[in-house]
């Protein structure tokens, strides 16, 4: 570890009563804890000024490169409070590694895995009272590490001043309706990512590029858009913020193979590993939309679900496009396989089941 985080605890923390009212019904991404992490990288000094300080606005010059050229990356992870009060996170080394892969793609500086982990520990230890009880349900403290070009310069080149930060937000269900099957709009006009682009990096620009399709989805009464490959508009890739799995009657669970334009989700990789414990056969392959439709209509596909840190495992009910619609999973609470996978994953994350793979790291 090369960084040492100075701790500047604020004296005006949110009153406990206010905090507890937020924790009772956190929603997603609306409320933030009392502190944040910040550190600065410059071309001549490397990373320095690492600190945990009061949560508050950044002062950015209007010429800060991120505002013009979107040189920015982020991560999404969760801290869970177990029954004994201890606080844990899930596979943070995988997030640290992905953060560095994203940094490389966006020409941002690397951050050592140990410095990344330490930043999470420092923030969660200071704001530990903000971690909801995770022993029932899926409440957690969502952690958002991010890095952006803070140099004031309008020339197009990798920034020579970069800011790293972590904020934390108590989280319940990502979807406002709670756990019920979502409907997907098949985006025919918009691609999220293309060959050689940034689809497999977790950078803000990918999410900006998904929003026009998200508007189209909403206008058509759908919860999310599903993106197809940008070359043939034929193969299923992922949603704007989640990977996809299809559940087959014969015990296979199939997810689109990584093509370079799909984000390699840590939930996705974990489900592929967990599947074997659940007598399911994971498969990564290209899946055409037509195959999805035909196999859902013939009953070979019995369920489909989206997965990610924020969404955990969310069943998919229907797919719609200008050409019509088809059902891909049961109504109600979703299908039995998605439910079993969701429970297995949450049981490990929240300490209700033994962590036999060493996936958890203690934060506090
Ligand atoms: N795909 C996209 C585009 C995402 O934003 C996310 C969320 O982080 C995922 C997939 C799922 O990734 P993970 O399971 O690591 O959260
Ligand atoms: C996550 O699941 O952590 C994501 O980043 C998805 C979305 C909230 C952007």
């Amino acid at each position: 570890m090369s960084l040492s985080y100075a701790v500047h605890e604020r004296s005006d923390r949110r009153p406990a009563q206010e905090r507890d009212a937020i924790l009772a019904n956190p929603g997603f991404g609306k409320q933030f804890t009392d502190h944040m992490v910040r550190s600065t990288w410059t071309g001549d000094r490397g990373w320095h000024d690492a600190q945990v300080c009061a949560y508050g606005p950044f002062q950015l010059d209007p010429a800060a490169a991120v505002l013009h050229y979107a040189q920015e990356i982020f991560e999404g992870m969760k801290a869970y409070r177990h029954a004994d009060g201890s606080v844990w996170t899930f596979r943070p080394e995988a997030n640290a590694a992905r953060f560095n892969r994203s940094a490389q793609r966006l020409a941002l500086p690397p951050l050592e895995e140990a410095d990344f982990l330490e930043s999470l520990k420092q923030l969660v230890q200071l704001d530990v009272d903000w971690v909801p009880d995770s022993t029932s349900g899926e409440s957690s403290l969502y952690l958002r590490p991010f890095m952006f070009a803070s140099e004031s310069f309008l020339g197009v080149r990798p920034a020579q001043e970069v800011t790293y930060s972590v904020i934390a937000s108590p989280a319940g269900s990502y979807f406002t309706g709670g756990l019920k099957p979502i409907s997907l709009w098949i985006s025919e006009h918009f691609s999220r990512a293309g060959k050689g682009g940034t689809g497999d990096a977790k950078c803000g620009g990918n999410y900006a590029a998904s929003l026009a399709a998200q508007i189209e989805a909403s206008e058509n009464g759908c919860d999310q858009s599903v993106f197809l490959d940008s070359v043939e508009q034929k193969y299923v890739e992922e949603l704007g913020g989640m990977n996809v799995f299809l559940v087959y009657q014969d015990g296979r669970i199939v997810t689109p193979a990584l093509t370079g334009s799909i984000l390699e989700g840590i939930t996705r990789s974990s489900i592929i590993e967990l599947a074997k414990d659940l007598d399911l056969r994971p498969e990564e392959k290209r899946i055409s939309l037509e195959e999805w439709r035909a196999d859902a209509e013939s009953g070979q596909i019995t369920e489909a679900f989206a997965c990610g840190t924020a969404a955990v495992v969310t069943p998919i009910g229907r797919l719609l496009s200008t050409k019509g619609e088809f059902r891909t999973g049961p109504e109600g609470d979703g299908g039995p396989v998605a439910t079993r996978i969701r429970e297995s994953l949450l049981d490990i994350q929240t300490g209700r089941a033994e962590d036999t793979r060493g996936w958890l790291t203690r934060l506090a």
Side-chain angles (χ1 to χ4, degrees), residues 235-238 243-246 254-259 262 268 272 283-287 292:
Y235 295 100
V236 178
E237 298 225 305
E238 61 177 323
N243 294 116
V244 172
F245 276 87
L246 308 181
V254 183
T255 190
L258 301 174
T259 53
I262 297 177
R268 175 188 179 279
I272 290 172
E283 205 174 289
E284 295 172 75
K285 68 175 196 100
R286 294 197 96 185
I287 306 163
W292 188 349

Side-chain angles (χ1 to χ4, degrees), residues 88 98 145 164 176 209 222 266 278 285 294 304 326 331 342:
W88 302 75
R98 187 170 66 188
Y164 169 69
T176 41
C222 292
I266 293 154
L278 302 172
K285 68 175 196 100
F326 67 95
E331 315 224 19
R342 180 185 161 81

